[in-house]
Amino acid sequence: LFGQCFQQLKNKNPDMFKVGTNVRAFRANYVGMGSIDAGGPYRDALENMCKELQSPALPLFMKCPNGRLELGENRNTYVPRPSSTSSFHLQLYKFVGKLFGLAMRSKSLLSLDLPSIVWKPLVSDIVTDSDVQAIDRVSWKTSEAIREHEEKVENKKMDVSIFDSTMRQFNFTVPGSDGKMKELIPNGG
């Protein structure tokens, strides 16, 4: 359904998404179901698009690391898939953004389970350390251990040579939210 809606609406004037409260931007017609869109099929279409966005059927969102590892908070939330960067993926994300704007203007809420690390930048709020920890507890603990060692060196509680030897045990690659390894620094592996 998301793909069909994207194909039908991607080249339309973006102003069509600028509607008022409780106004529909498009009509939903379920072929063969005899539906008349008095609002029910429209809301159902938005609901089904949200379900698709949070499923493996579409390449845009994926469970956050805590959800995939079944630990910590926000296990039921979804984050953008870091590997979805092609021009086609970016067009799909742009369409999702239009749906966000539509939802805010029309008060037709989208049932997307997005953590604060995703929505805070969209509303010009500051992402905090706790937002990061809330989606990726394992990576947070690793970065916390590194910060503790840095503090010890800065406060002269640890010699730089000890810090260097301790840090050699760390691999400066981390799994991204998509599970793929990413180098934090060039040749950091």
Side-chain angles (χ1 to χ4, degrees):
L1 188 61
F2 178 85
Q4 291 173 341
C5 197
F6 170 74
Q7 288 299 326
Q8 293 294 317
L9 302 176
K10 69 180 179 182
N11 295 321
K12 300 281 185 187
N13 185 335
D15 288 343
M16 73 171 284
F17 291 93
K18 296 177 181 175
V19 299
T21 303
N22 297 319
V23 176
R24 291 172 283 159
F26 57 88
R27 291 207 178 284
N29 181 16
Y30 288 107
V31 176
M33 295 185 69
S35 64
I36 298 171
D37 193 357
Y42 176 78
R43 285 189 300 276
D44 186 64
L46 290 175
E47 181 73 25
N48 284 324
M49 284 192 280
C50 290
K51 286 179 184 174
E52 286 179 25
L53 285 167
Q54 297 179 145
S55 79
L58 291 173
L60 300 181
F61 293 92
M62 59 188 298
K63 279 230 179 200
C64 74
N66 283 355
R68 290 193 314 277
L69 297 173
E70 296 185 10
L71 55 89
E73 301 174 58
N74 290 313
R75 294 180 194 183
N76 64 330
T77 60
Y78 292 79
V79 293
R81 188 179 300 274
S83 59
S84 295
T85 58
S86 72
S87 61
F88 179 66
H89 291 135
L90 297 179
Q91 287 177 353
L92 294 175
Y93 280 125
K94 185 175 179 179
F95 185 68
V96 171
K98 289 178 181 179
L99 292 177
F100 284 0
L102 171 65
M104 288 187 283
R105 289 182 193 98
S106 68
K107 308 277 191 260
S108 297
L109 302 180
L110 300 177
S111 57
L112 292 171
D113 296 315
L114 303 175
S116 58
I117 200 167
V118 173
W119 60 259
K120 276 187 171 183
L122 298 175
V123 297
S124 300
D125 200 351
I126 296 169
V127 173
T128 64
D129 290 346
S130 62
D131 297 317
V132 177
Q133 185 178 13
I135 65 153
D136 193 347
R137 189 171 172 197
V138 171
S139 293
W140 175 258
K141 285 191 177 278
T142 302
S143 64
E144 189 67 19
I146 293 169
R147 277 194 289 270
E148 286 174 11
H149 279 44
E150 282 179 328
E151 269 184 41
K152 287 178 183 176
V153 169
E154 288 173 5
N155 295 329
K156 309 282 189 219
K157 294 180 180 176
M158 178 187 285
D159 187 75
V160 173
S161 62
I162 295 172
F163 176 79
D164 288 344
S165 67
T166 303
M167 294 313 290
R168 282 191 193 102
Q169 70 180 317
F170 287 102
N171 186 339
F172 288 94
T173 59
V174 295
S177 59
D178 59 356
K180 293 181 182 175
M181 296 306 288
K182 312 271 190 244
E183 286 187 344
L184 292 176
I185 58 173
N187 301 314

